[in-house]
Amino acid sequence: MSAAAQSLKIRSKLPDTPTTIFTRMTQLAQECGALNLSQGFPDFHCSEKLVQLVHYYMQRGDNQYAPMQGMMPLRERIAEKVQEQYGRNYDPVSEITITAGGTQAIYVAITAMVNPGDEVVLFAPAYDSYEPAVK
């Protein structure tokens, strides 16, 4: 390998992070021909109604990136639902943020709150994204 190619090689910041349980469960599911519930794989046909709704909203032009905190109508509906179900009031402008999933939400929360030098206690076993996010 040339010196130039070596200098372009990506070095992991976390080289000792092991293969996740999700990777292993996906491999096992594929080997065994099993339904993979470890990650909620959407490896089945979705509702025709959902396809129609996606098509409708994309044709309408609602196909751009959402604001960083998420679409306001969704945040407002979440605030309403939480108030109805739990009697808690949250401000959709300043207290509700939409993420692409649980792992992203965990990462964002940890990286927003944990600073260099802070002590973090991780219980084992724990969800495998906690430790890399803390590091």
Side-chain angles (χ1 to χ4, degrees):
M1 184 180 296
S2 71
Q6 283 182 336
S7 69
L8 294 177
K9 187 175 177 184
I10 297 172
R11 293 182 317 145
S12 172
K13 290 195 234 178
L14 302 169
D16 299 322
T17 301
T19 299
T20 71
I21 187 65
F22 297 109
T23 300
R24 183 68 188 121
M25 293 307 291
T26 297
Q27 290 170 341
L28 282 172
Q30 289 172 344
E31 289 170 12
C32 299
L35 181 60
N36 184 353
L37 298 177
S38 71
Q39 291 178 275
F41 268 39
D43 55 355
F44 48 84
H45 292 289
C46 68
S47 153
E48 182 60 32
K49 176 76 172 171
L50 178 59
V51 172
Q52 291 170 2
L53 286 168
V54 168
H55 182 257
Y56 168 79
Y57 284 102
M58 289 187 74
Q59 288 291 323
R60 200 173 87 167
D62 294 337
N63 56 1
Q64 298 300 310
Y65 287 110
M68 189 182 311
Q69 300 89 349
M71 297 296 292
M72 185 54 72
L74 177 58
R75 292 159 53 200
E76 291 168 345
R77 297 301 84 74
I78 289 171
E80 290 172 9
K81 180 112 176 134
V82 169
Q83 202 291 317
E84 290 169 8
Q85 285 195 290
Y86 305 107
R88 301 294 307 257
N89 292 308
Y90 291 99
D91 180 1
V93 173
S94 63
E95 296 181 305
I96 296 177
T97 298
I98 307 301
T99 64
T103 301
Q104 180 188 14
I106 290 166
Y107 178 82
V108 168
I110 290 172
T111 57
M113 302 304 293
V114 176
N115 293 294
D118 286 353
E119 180 178 10
V120 177
V121 177
L122 294 172
F123 295 95
Y127 185 56
D128 56 14
S129 73
Y130 291 173
E131 186 176 358
V134 168
K135 288 182 176 180

